[in-house]
Amino acid sequence: MFVGEGENWSSKVTVNQTDGDETYHIQINYKGHSIQDIEAFSYDVETKNNGEFDFSQNDAFLNKEGIYIYKLSVSNSPSTTVKDELVIKVLWNGNSEDFTLINK
């Protein structure tokens, strides 16, 4: 589980490795109070060190609590290790924020 936060956003990425496959579950939380002002946002997550782990989403939407949850159904060969650090970049309403997620 990789977690981290910036000024406006926090995120948790859970990586599951089973039977030679790797799947991902991401949760992104908006920390602000004006959830209704964010119509859609996009994000990109990648490994800080080796760049092998990379996924993104455009036109993501928050629920009424300001939370976005997505489980990636695509599996690949395990490449993520506990020593990796992930970097997430969130783009919304002409703004951008990126921060590091570390293994907890």
Side-chain angles (χ1 to χ4, degrees):
M1 183 181 312
F2 297 86
V3 296
E5 65 180 283
E7 185 177 328
N8 299 288
W9 301 86
S10 64
S11 183
K12 173 173 66 173
V13 174
T14 304
V15 180
N16 293 309
Q17 296 176 340
T18 55
D19 299 327
D21 285 332
E22 190 170 79
T23 58
Y24 316 108
H25 181 271
I26 185 167
Q27 178 175 325
I28 301 173
N29 301 323
Y30 179 60
K31 295 167 51 176
H33 299 291
S34 303
I35 296 166
Q36 68 277 6
D37 293 341
I38 300 177
E39 293 181 19
F41 68 98
S42 62
Y43 65 88
D44 181 64
V45 180
E46 62 183 36
T47 306
K48 189 174 185 177
N49 305 332
N50 61 23
E52 290 181 25
F53 181 91
D54 185 18
F55 64 91
S56 60
Q57 179 73 39
N58 292 317
D59 296 324
F61 295 93
L62 298 170
N63 66 17
K64 62 184 178 183
E65 287 84 31
I67 300 170
Y68 167 84
I69 297 174
Y70 186 71
K71 182 175 181 181
L72 278 69
S73 57
V74 177
S75 299
N76 65 8
S77 298
S79 61
T80 308
T81 69
V82 295
K83 294 181 182 179
D84 284 337
E85 290 184 0
L86 306 180
V87 176
I88 184 169
K89 181 174 187 175
V90 182
L91 303 166
W92 79 103
N93 299 355
N95 298 302
S96 172
E97 179 172 87
D98 54 319
F99 51 94
T100 302
L101 308 177
I102 58 173
N103 190 5
K104 290 284 182 175

